[in-house]
Amino acid sequence: MKTFIERATEIQQDMIGFRRKLHKDPEISFKEYRTTEMIKQILIRFGVEIVEWGGETGVVGLLKGALSGPVIALRADIDALPIQEENDCVYRSQNSGAMHACGHDIHTAGLLGAVILLAERRNSLSGTVKFIFQPAEEINAGAKLMLEKGVLDNPAVSVIFGLHNMPSIPCGKVCLKPGGLMAAVDTTFLTINGVGGHGAIPHRTHDPITATAAIIQGLQTVVSRQVDPLDSAVISFGTIHGGDANNVIPEKVELTGTVRTFNPTLQAQMPERMRSVIDGIAAAMQTEAKFIYRKDLPVVFNPPELAEWCRGPLEKVFGSEGVINFSPSMGGEDFACFQERIPGVFLFLGVGNEAKGIVNQWHNPRFDADEDSLRYGAAALAQLAYDYMENRR
Ligand code: NI
C-alpha cells in the first residue's frame, strides 16, 4: 500500500485546484457561505457524513472506519481577512477588499486532501475521524461558537490535531514544539476620568492626559520589573483618544490595548498587576481609572507527552530532518480553545520558498504560500489520525 505522503503527492493537483478556488473567492469571518458549500460538496463526493453542527458557516464531517476505536478530530480554519490582495497571480482574489492573507485556504485545501486520503482507507480505519472546518478564526469567535454548540460531543472526541502555515519555515518542513506555541490573547479597555478645564490653569483641573501618559509608562514596568525575564509578556495600547482642542484639558481619556503571555499563571496575574499600577498612578494624579480586562484566548499549548508521540507519524511524512523546533509566536490562535477541553497538538507547516519569492508574513497584502506544502499538510494530518487509531487499538 502507498504511504500517505506518496498518495498525497498523487492528489496534489486536486488540492491545488481546491486551494485556488478558495483563494479566488475569499470570504471573511462568519460570511464563509460559498466556502462552506464547496467543502460540503467535496465531503459528500468522498462519502463523508455531514453533521449539522448548529452554525450557518463552517462544516463538520464524520468518517466512520470499518472497525471501532477512538474519535480523532482534525481541524482547519476557513475564513479570509478584510485585506485587498496585491499579488498578481492567476488565482488572485476576485473579491475586492477580501483576501486569504493568513493562508486559511491552504489549511482548508490540505484538510480536504486528508479527507480524501482517509476516506480511501475507510476499510482499515479503527475509529472515527471528525473533520472540523471552523469559521471565524480571525475574530477569535469560531472555535468558541463551535464548542458552545458541542462540536466535540456526539461522538466524543479524544484528541485533536491542527496546523497553521508558517512562511518563515521552508516548505517540506514542520515545526513540532512541545509546550507553548502561540500566545494567550487578552484585550484591555481603560478610561481615565479627571476634571477638565483651561490648559493654562492646570491646578484647577485633574488632568487625565498627564495621568494617562504616566500610566502607559508605568504599565511597561509590569513587563520589565514584575515578569520573570525568562518569561514573556507584552502590553501594548493600540488606541488612545482624549480631548478636542489644544488648550482644553479634557474630562477623560480612553484607551484599548492587547496583552500577550505564554505562562497561564502569569496570564492569570496580569489583570491585578496592571490594575494596581493603574489605580495607584490614577489616584496619585487625582484621577479615577476604569479598567476592564477581557480574556480572549488561552495559550496554544501542546502537551509534551502527546507532542513527543507526534514525532513518529510526522517523521513518516517529513523525514527525521524535516521535523524541526521553531520559536513560538506572540500571535494567538483559537485552536487553543479546543486544547482547553481535550488533548491536542498544533503544528506550524512550512510554506516558505525564497527561490519562488514566497517570503511575506501573515496578513501582508502580498502573502502567499508554496502550494507544494499542500501534500505535506494533508499527509501529516491523515498520518496523525491513522497512527493514533493504530496505537490505541
Ligand atoms: Ni491564521
Side-chain angles (χ1 to χ4, degrees), residues 102 104 137-138 164:
C102 200
H104 298 185
E137 190 282 327
E138 293 292 355
H164 202 290

Short mmCIF file of all heavy atoms in Angstrom, two decimals, residues 102 104 137-138 164, ligand 1:
data_model
loop_
_atom_site.label_atom_id
_atom_site.label_comp_id
_atom_site.label_asym_id
_atom_site.label_seq_id
_atom_site.Cartn_x
_atom_site.Cartn_y
_atom_site.Cartn_z
N CYS A 102 -3.92 34.98 5.39
CA CYS A 102 -3.33 34.23 6.50
C CYS A 102 -3.20 32.76 6.10
O CYS A 102 -2.85 31.91 6.90
CB CYS A 102 -4.18 34.39 7.77
SG CYS A 102 -3.27 34.01 9.28
N HIS A 104 -5.51 30.52 5.25
CA HIS A 104 -6.51 29.54 5.69
C HIS A 104 -7.03 28.72 4.50
O HIS A 104 -7.60 27.65 4.71
CB HIS A 104 -7.65 30.24 6.45
CG HIS A 104 -7.19 30.93 7.71
ND1 HIS A 104 -8.04 31.53 8.60
CD2 HIS A 104 -5.95 31.09 8.25
CE1 HIS A 104 -7.34 32.05 9.61
NE2 HIS A 104 -6.07 31.81 9.42
N GLU A 137 -11.97 32.25 12.53
CA GLU A 137 -10.79 32.21 13.42
C GLU A 137 -10.23 33.61 13.63
O GLU A 137 -9.77 33.94 14.72
CB GLU A 137 -9.70 31.29 12.83
CG GLU A 137 -8.56 30.98 13.79
CD GLU A 137 -7.55 32.11 13.94
OE1 GLU A 137 -7.32 32.84 12.95
OE2 GLU A 137 -6.99 32.28 15.04
N GLU A 138 -10.29 34.42 12.57
CA GLU A 138 -9.62 35.73 12.62
C GLU A 138 -10.21 36.66 13.67
O GLU A 138 -9.57 37.62 14.09
CB GLU A 138 -9.67 36.41 11.23
CG GLU A 138 -8.84 35.72 10.16
CD GLU A 138 -7.33 35.79 10.39
OE1 GLU A 138 -6.90 36.48 11.34
OE2 GLU A 138 -6.60 35.14 9.63
N HIS A 164 -1.06 25.48 11.40
CA HIS A 164 -1.07 26.78 10.74
C HIS A 164 0.16 26.85 9.87
O HIS A 164 1.23 26.37 10.26
CB HIS A 164 -1.06 27.93 11.77
CG HIS A 164 -1.58 29.21 11.19
ND1 HIS A 164 -0.89 29.93 10.24
CD2 HIS A 164 -2.73 29.87 11.40
CE1 HIS A 164 -1.62 31.00 9.90
NE2 HIS A 164 -2.75 30.98 10.58
NI NI B 1 -4.31 32.41 10.60
#
